[in-house]
Each structure stands twice: as structure tokens, then as C-alpha cells.
Amino acid sequence: MTTMADVARRAGVSVATVSHVLNDTRPVRPGTRAAVLGAIDELGYTHNTLARSLVTARTRSIGLAVSAISNPYFTEILQGVEASALEAGYSLLIADPHDDPVHERKVVQLLHERRVDGMIVAPSAEPSEMTGYLARRSVPTVFLDRLVGDDHDQVCAENTGPVRQLVEHLAELGHTRIGLVAGLPGLSTTTERVRGYREGLRARGLPFAPGLLAGGNSEAEGAERATHQLLAAPEPPTAVITANNAMTIGALRALAARGLQVPRDIALACFDDFSWADLFAPRLTAVAQPSKDIGAGAVRLLLERLADPARPPRTLRLPCTLVHRTSCGCPATGPADRHPLSPSPAPATPPAAQERNRTP
């Protein structure tokens, strides 16, 4: 078995220098580093991270618990986490809690028992069992996408302002009956996006109608049922906003089942952009979240926590972008326009011309 001493002899350096290169514990001149890395490749040396962890009490691994990993949004978050963790010399252990509080608690315990240095978790709607487990064991943790209070490190996108601006955009096009297919109750993302919906209506002088708000439970099947519910109302919406990308698919199924064409018969806009939104006819107007930046931000906060366990908790909110296409009813003007969205737009006064009731 090749040892660190073998690498040192081949590179013509000390064992301590090889250790510094492997563990980034001290700056090493570029030429010396290159010689050490060349010797490692030539000899096929594998660093014994387990042995190092016994000395340092660190495994240089991060536990990541994220539900619906197949969702494009969370896939991009995973890419951001993985790239940042790898750059910092950390590996990932990944588990899917399935948005189930009981399973979530078990998953977090399993990751903790693998001696990860810290956790990054997208919490469920009822995370108290999981957060209690982590708090009792003082596990360094960052929550992403969904917030669980001000006394934790967490990172997410802006939610309220972007939805408000979607509502205002649809109102500017003449819509006064704007529906929302909301996410899973109990999630901070759901609460904040519903708040943005109501703020947008209020900013444009439109009344909130409970019959224009339906819960889609953050998944396609629920959104399909919710959209049918909205369309069956005595005064159905002339425009619909879906609160995540999975629910957009369900809403489109419901619209197709009723023979409605977007945007001729009904306008559609969604929270969450995805790579194939440009392939729909019409192309989907969407709020794009900075998914990879959310993942990278979570790693950064976790590394800061590991370096300074006593520092105050931080909440990092990242701005979104409006990807303006044609499903909202605007004419095609070429490639999608991308506009940064402010977290708290200034209130707007609705012109009289915008208060007419638009019918499909």
C-alpha cells in the first residue's frame, strides 16, 4: 500500500508538506504542490480520510436532506451544494425525507449517525421533531428554501415580492379575476407566496376572493384538482398563477382537459422557471429562482458556522428574476426577457382602465 512517506520521497519533499497539500492546512508553493499532486497520481495514493477524522473529529462530509430530488428546482439546488462542497473539500451524503415529518426525523438521525460535520436541510411543513433532534445534539445546520424561524442559519429566495409583481403584471393586462394555485400548507414558501398574491391584489385595488385561491399541495396531482376547482367557480379566473413548477404541470393538464388554450382563453404565469418552459406553446412566463446560488449559499453559511459556532444565526434571501414570455398574454417579441424582481415593490395605484373585468 502506498503511503504518504512514499509520496514525499517521490516528490522530494517532507511528509509534512504532503500533508499540507492534502489537507489545505498551510500555503504551499505552486511548483511544490504540483510535484506532490503528480506523485500522488503516479503512485495511486489514496488519502485515508477516516484516519484523519479520528484525529480531527471531522469527516469533511455534509448531510443533505432534500425532498423531491427529481424536481428540477431541487436538482439545481443540489448542483449548487455539490459544487460548493467539493470546492471546499467536502463530500455529500444525500437523503430524501419525502416531505414527511416522521421520515424526515429518521433521515436526519441517519445522516447524523454517519458523523457528518453538518447538515443542510429543506424542512417539511412540520419540522419540529427534526429541528428538536438537531438542537439537542448541537448539530451545525442550515435550512434552505423553507424558513423555520429566526434562530437558525437559513437561505431562500424572495417569495412575497415576486408573486406580488406577477399579480400586478396580470392586472396591468386587464385581468381582475386572478387565481392562485398555492403550495403545501405550513411551508414558509406557501405562506409568503399567498401573502404576495394578496398584496398584489391590494396594490391594484382588486378584492380578495377566497374562491380564487386553491391549494395544490405543491405537487402536480393536487394542482390539477385545484385548477379544476377554480375553473368550476361561478366566476372563474381569467388568469392563474401556479406557486411552483410541479403545480404548473398539473394546471396545464386541467386546462387541456377543459379545452382551454393559453393565453387565448386564460392567462398563466408560474413561480419557478425550468429548462423546458421555452418549449411550451405558448412559452411560460415564470419567476426564476437562483437555485444554484441557494445551494452554494447554504454551503457557505454552514462552513461559516463550522468555523465560528458562536456567531449569531443568519438568514440569507436571494432575489428572483421574471422570465417574461407569452403565456401571460403578452405578444411574442423574440427570446424571453429577463427582469430582476425587487423584494418589496412600491405600492401601485390602478388606473381606471385597468379595473375593467376581462372575460375569456
Side-chain angles (χ1 to χ4, degrees):
M1 177 183 295
T2 303
T3 66
M4 198 180 295
D6 296 328
V7 173
R9 280 192 295 271
R10 181 60 59 92
V13 299
S14 68
V15 172
T17 298
V18 175
S19 177
H20 290 315
V21 170
L22 290 170
N23 299 309
D24 286 325
T25 48
R26 194 187 70 186
V28 177
R29 288 195 301 270
T32 303
R33 176 179 292 274
V36 170
L37 295 176
I40 288 171
D41 288 341
E42 183 179 347
L43 297 175
Y45 173 74
T46 302
H47 190 34
N48 190 339
T49 55
L50 177 59
R52 175 169 172 76
S53 71
L54 295 174
V55 175
T56 64
R58 292 283 182 89
T59 61
R60 297 195 71 82
S61 62
I62 295 171
L64 176 65
V66 177
S67 295
I69 293 174
S70 60
N71 184 310
Y73 168 65
F74 281 115
T75 299
E76 290 187 359
I77 282 183
L78 172 58
Q79 292 171 354
V81 171
E82 183 178 42
S84 295
L86 182 62
E87 183 178 359
Y90 282 77
S91 60
L92 287 182
L93 295 179
I94 305 171
D96 188 340
H98 301 293
D99 268 334
D100 175 78
V102 175
H103 190 61
E104 175 181 65
R105 162 67 169 74
K106 293 178 180 177
V107 159
V108 163
Q109 180 176 346
L110 180 64
L111 291 171
H112 181 231
E113 289 173 351
R114 297 299 186 272
R115 301 185 65 229
V116 295
D117 293 340
M119 302 263 196
I120 296 174
V121 182
S124 70
E126 299 176 15
S128 58
E129 286 286 329
M130 175 266 295
T131 56
Y133 176 92
L134 294 171
R136 287 190 297 273
R137 290 156 180 82
S138 301
V139 180
T141 304
V142 175
F143 297 109
L144 59 73
D145 185 59
R146 304 151 177 182
L147 307 185
V148 293
D150 295 332
D151 54 346
H152 302 279
D153 289 321
Q154 45 200 358
V155 56
C156 66
E158 295 284 354
N159 291 294
T160 302
V163 174
R164 171 178 170 162
Q165 288 167 87
L166 277 183
V167 173
E168 293 194 69
H169 176 64
L170 292 169
E172 287 171 359
L173 298 177
H175 294 279
T176 59
R177 298 196 309 277
I178 302 169
L180 174 70
V181 179
L184 187 68
L187 297 180
S188 65
T189 49
T190 298
T191 301
E192 292 177 354
R193 291 170 195 175
V194 170
R195 183 187 304 139
Y197 168 70
R198 299 188 66 154
E199 285 185 3
L201 294 175
R202 187 163 53 249
R204 291 295 169 174
L206 300 175
F208 169 71
L212 294 180
L213 173 62
N217 288 328
S218 299
E219 43 94 19
E221 290 76 12
E224 187 172 359
R225 292 190 296 270
T227 305
H228 280 299
Q229 175 185 330
L230 293 176
L231 297 175
E235 291 187 282
T238 61
V240 171
I241 296 171
T242 54
N244 77 4
N245 56 17
M247 292 193 293
T248 301
I249 301 302
L252 286 168
R253 288 175 185 162
L255 296 176
R258 289 175 173 263
L260 298 177
Q261 293 188 19
V262 178
R264 187 195 69 185
D265 302 317
I266 188 168
L268 180 67
C270 54
F271 201 102
D272 277 347
D273 195 28
F274 36 95
S275 58
W276 25 278
D278 260 330
L279 302 180
F280 286 100
R283 296 151 60 228
L284 292 176
T285 292
V287 170
Q289 299 191 71
S291 309
K292 292 182 180 179
D293 291 340
I294 290 173
V299 173
R300 184 168 71 253
L301 287 183
L302 182 58
L303 296 181
E304 291 176 1
R305 173 62 59 196
L306 291 171
D308 183 7
R311 73 160 175 77
R314 292 179 55 197
T315 294
L316 178 63
R317 282 190 178 270
L318 303 179
C320 294
T321 301
L322 174 63
V323 186
H324 186 205
R325 301 185 179 100
T326 57
S327 67
C328 55
C330 293
T333 58
D337 295 324
R338 303 182 72 89
H339 307 283
L341 292 173
S342 59
S344 301
T349 301
Q354 294 173 1
E355 296 181 5
R356 69 183 186 277
N357 185 17
R358 176 172 173 169
T359 57

